[in-house]
Amino acid sequence: MATKSSIHIKPCNIASSEAHNQRTAEYIRNIGESRIYIVPELSTDNEQWINPDFGTPELRTHYDNIKQMVKEKTGRAMQEKERERKGKNGKIIKVAGCSPIREGVLLIRPDTTLADVRKFGEECQRRWGITPLQIFLHKDEGHWLNSQPEAEDKESFQIGSRWFKPNYHAHIVFDWMNHETGKSRKLNDEDMATMQTLASDILLMERGQAKAVTGKEHLERNDFIIEKQKAELQRIEETKRHKEQQVSLAEQELKQVKAEIRTDKLKSAATDVATAITSGVGSLFGSGKLKDLKQANEGLRYEISKRDKSIDDLKIQMQQMQEQHGKQIRNLQEIHNKELEAKDKEISHLSTILKKAFDWFPLLKEMLRMERLCYAIGFTRDMVNSLLTKKEAIKCNGKIYSEEHRRKFEIKNDVFKVEDNPTNENKLVLTINRQPIGEWFKEQWEKLRQGLRKSVEEPRKSRGMRF
């Protein structure tokens, strides 16, 4: 499974970055044995890269060159320290100093290579103009666990009698300056969010390790389309529920308005009675205010009639909107149902063809499994073609990756070949020097464990007797 990606950018500590290669010995001298979090035996997996285009690997020298470049391009000295200035409102504003060299820390996988991180750096340079100067891959850091890890912990592994949880990460040092203008690159929050996504896409994508072991087939693209359609249908259902809630609220408001109208009508009737009584009395006394009272009463009746009409119009409009929305929902559901049926038929058809192919060519499934296994180990397309298509043996040097042990093992002039399984004629096996690859990985892992156990026990024996 892919893990959650993270990249943290900060101003670069030049002295710290230039000391990456010497840090292991310093850490071991300065911390107690119970807190050692570097395993020297794993340091062989560390990698580093220095950009050759800038002429010097020394960051202090490169920093001084940037200061000179800024002076030449802008005519002003580079502002290195934090300073204060007065804003338009009279308040004091703190302005950060220039950080021409910045360092990013990336979480990586155990099989992440220097080429992967360089690809990320090159893409950052293409998009934002920030230039990678140095890259360091650290695969020997982590911490010792006090007990056996939880069942869901798939990263920790045992060294001797103790459990070690690795912290795989990379340091990438950037030149943050525009050397044509002499000004610092400006990246906003959206750019930094895009950089997070870029790091996830390049470094932490799932590579399908489990499939190489189990040999199970699937149709990833079709499954993705179906899941996407299901999500869209769920979104439509949620929209429908939201509309229904709006209609329910409108109906409640309508009931409240009707109650207010009934109250107004009762008040109007009472006003009519009072008017009649007043009219009778007024006729006796000859009052001139009766006409004003009648006009006010007529105005009130007109307002009530006008409100009744607007409520009726609102009810009609709400009913029309509800009917139109229901029709749209039904049409969308019908479209999605048809698409799902078509995809189901396509998947069923492809599954039938695949089953026939496996029945007609029994070794096809094994050939596909061998191909996935070879790619997982780290073979190139040409090497896989030689092993499977040409059925040739190949001799290799370098490192190969074991998914079971989650690490790489050294090989030197070793011969690989895909051969028939001696115990099952319908199975194939990848061999190294005529030995099945699984057995070879197991032997190398045991040798590594024994070496680590010996390196831990020897310092204890050399302490001598204490009184």
Side-chain angles (χ1 to χ4, degrees), residues 203-433:
L203 302 178
L204 300 174
M205 291 294 290
E206 184 178 0
R207 301 189 179 185
Q209 293 90 338
K211 294 179 286 183
V213 178
T214 61
K216 292 182 179 179
E217 310 84 25
H218 62 79
L219 300 171
E220 291 181 346
R221 176 178 174 274
N222 292 318
D223 289 342
F224 173 76
I225 293 174
I226 291 174
E227 289 300 323
K228 186 175 181 181
Q229 291 173 342
K230 288 181 179 178
E232 177 65 16
L233 190 59
Q234 183 179 359
R235 186 190 66 79
I236 293 173
E237 290 294 336
E238 292 175 354
T239 303
K240 179 182 178 182
R241 286 195 294 270
H242 177 67
K243 291 292 185 181
E244 290 173 349
Q245 290 176 356
Q246 289 182 325
V247 172
S248 177
L249 291 174
E251 289 177 347
Q252 291 177 6
E253 292 179 0
L254 182 60
K255 290 180 181 179
Q256 184 177 356
V257 171
K258 285 183 175 180
E260 292 176 356
I261 290 174
R262 284 196 296 270
T263 301
D264 290 339
K265 286 183 177 180
L266 290 174
K267 290 180 179 179
S268 176
T271 302
D272 290 343
V273 173
T275 301
I277 295 173
T278 305
S279 177
V281 175
S283 62
L284 295 174
F285 293 96
S287 172
K289 297 182 179 179
L290 288 177
K291 290 184 179 179
D292 295 337
L293 185 60
K294 288 182 179 179
Q295 290 177 355
N297 190 33
E298 289 296 329
L300 179 61
R301 288 179 177 176
Y302 174 75
E303 290 295 331
I304 293 173
S305 175
K306 184 178 179 181
R307 185 184 295 180
D308 287 341
K309 186 176 184 307
S310 69
I311 290 174
D312 291 338
D313 293 340
L314 179 61
K315 288 177 64 177
I316 294 173
Q317 185 178 0
M318 288 173 55
Q319 184 176 0
Q320 290 175 348
M321 290 175 60
Q322 191 171 8
E323 291 176 354
Q324 184 179 5
H325 177 69
K327 185 177 180 181
Q328 291 176 349
I329 292 293
R330 289 191 295 273
N331 290 339
L332 286 173
Q333 287 178 336
E334 184 178 356
I335 293 172
H336 282 288
N337 288 337
K338 289 181 180 179
E339 291 179 351
L340 288 174
E341 290 177 1
K343 293 302 176 185
D344 288 339
K345 290 180 180 179
E346 182 181 357
I347 292 173
S348 177
H349 178 64
L350 292 174
S351 298
T352 302
I353 293 176
L354 193 60
K355 185 176 183 303
K356 287 182 180 180
F358 288 153
D359 292 339
W360 292 341
F361 306 100
L363 283 179
L364 176 59
K365 185 182 293 187
E366 281 298 292
M367 295 285 282
L368 293 173
R369 187 174 70 86
M370 284 295 105
E371 181 187 41
R372 289 192 291 268
L373 178 58
C374 290
Y375 281 131
I377 287 174
F379 289 164
T380 64
R381 181 178 298 178
D382 291 338
M383 296 166 71
V384 174
N385 184 50
S386 297
L387 286 169
L388 296 176
T389 305
K390 300 178 182 180
K391 298 182 179 179
E392 298 175 347
I394 60 173
K395 183 179 291 186
C396 303
N397 292 302
K399 292 183 180 181
I400 58 175
Y401 181 71
S402 168
E403 294 177 331
E404 179 181 357
H405 303 98
R406 297 190 296 277
R407 66 168 290 111
K408 294 180 180 180
F409 294 96
E410 194 84 27
I411 57 173
K412 187 174 183 181
N413 293 326
D414 292 306
V415 178
F416 293 84
K417 189 175 182 181
V418 175
E419 303 181 23
D420 295 333
N421 191 318
T423 61
N424 190 337
E425 62 180 6
N426 292 326
K427 295 288 185 178
L428 298 174
V429 62
L430 176 63
T431 64
I432 175 172
N433 301 327

Side-chain angles (χ1 to χ4, degrees), residues 181-210:
T181 64
K183 296 182 180 180
S184 177
R185 303 286 184 180
K186 305 298 182 185
L187 274 68
N188 55 30
D189 292 342
E190 183 178 353
D191 294 326
M192 300 308 295
T194 303
M195 189 181 294
Q196 292 278 1
T197 303
L198 183 65
S200 175
D201 291 342
I202 294 178
L203 302 178
L204 300 174
M205 291 294 290
E206 184 178 0
R207 301 189 179 185
Q209 293 90 338

Side-chain angles (χ1 to χ4, degrees), residues 5 11 38 81 126 136 138 151 181 190 217 270 277 413 466:
S5 68
I38 294 178
K81 297 181 180 180
R126 186 185 69 82
F136 301 91
H138 291 167
T181 64
E190 183 178 353
E217 310 84 25
I277 295 173
N413 293 326
R466 294 185 178 182

Side-chain angles (χ1 to χ4, degrees), residues 60 63-64 67 77-83 96-100:
R60 172 54 61 184
Y63 185 90
D64 294 338
K67 289 173 60 177
M78 187 173 69
Q79 295 291 340
E80 301 178 67
K81 297 181 180 180
E82 182 181 73
R83 61 191 188 278
C98 180
S99 300

